[in-house]
Each structure stands twice: as C-alpha cells, then as structure tokens.
C-alpha cells in the first residue's frame, strides 16, 4: 500500500488486538494480520486509521492535518473476505 518493502520498517499488525483474541489460533491467524509500515501500524493499533472493504484508508477526525499528510499511500490494501470480516470489528473501535 505504501511501497515500503524494507523489513525493518514493516510490522505485522493485528486487526483484532492480541489481548482481545479468544485463543492462540485467532492470535496467530494470518487473516487477523496486516503487513503495515511502522507509522501505519501505530495509527491502526490506536484506531486512528482503519480500512474500508476495498482497502481504502479511513482517517480519524482526531488526527492532525500533519499526521494525515504523513500517512501517505499509493494503492489500497489487498484484502481477503476473512480480512474484511475482522475489519468490521476494527471499524467499530475506530474513532471518527
């Protein structure tokens, strides 16, 4: 989505937070994860950004203009139906 491919700058971000997963299967499920840059991971983890069913980011109104400008992206995330079903839960936490 960002074009960043340096492994040191990428994070496995949980859609359903680790602490809220019901079991280890859900914690380790590949469909509960998104590969995001560290900056996107921080914003996603704090529900300051989420993604619609097409992989397009939705930004919280509590983000400053400077933060929004720093969260650049070049293409939508590629999502599976399993990712989309979990993102419904993430969007419920999303702060608009």
């Amino acid at each position: 989505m960002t074009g960043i491919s340096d492994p040191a700058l990428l994070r496995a971000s949980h859609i359903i937070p680790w602490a809220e997963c019901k079991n280890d299967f859900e914690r380790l499920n590949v469909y509960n994860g998104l590969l995001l840059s560290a900056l996107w991971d921080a914003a996603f983890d704090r529900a300051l950004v989420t993604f619609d069913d097409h992989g397009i980011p939705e930004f919280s109104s509590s983000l400053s203009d400077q933060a929004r400008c720093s969260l650049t992206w070049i293409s939508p995330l590629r999502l599976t139906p399993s990712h989309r079903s979990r993102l419904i839960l993430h969007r419920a936490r999303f702060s608009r």
Side-chain angles (χ1 to χ4, degrees):
M1 112 175 224
T2 62
I4 295 171
S5 60
D6 186 325
L9 297 176
L10 298 174
R11 303 284 183 271
S13 190
H14 289 88
I15 299 170
I16 300 170
W18 184 273
E20 294 177 21
C21 290
K22 296 177 183 171
N23 53 49
D24 286 340
F25 175 78
E26 186 64 31
R27 286 184 183 104
L28 301 174
N29 188 323
V30 296
Y31 299 109
N32 188 38
L34 300 172
L35 185 60
L36 301 174
S37 72
L39 181 60
W40 278 91
D41 172 55
F44 184 77
D45 189 52
R46 289 165 184 81
L48 296 170
V49 65
T50 193
F51 299 94
D52 70 13
D53 282 343
H54 303 288
I56 305 292
E58 296 179 1
F59 298 98
S60 169
S61 60
S62 64
L63 281 175
S64 68
D65 289 339
Q66 181 182 13
R68 286 179 197 223
C69 288
S70 295
L71 290 165
T72 59
W73 58 286
I74 55 175
S75 63
L77 283 177
R78 290 186 210 152
L79 302 172
T80 67
S82 294
H83 285 115
R84 288 184 190 100
S85 67
R86 286 170 177 80
L87 279 167
I88 291 169
L89 300 171
H90 188 267
R91 287 192 291 265
R93 295 179 45 232
F94 179 61
S95 53
R96 297 204 183 265

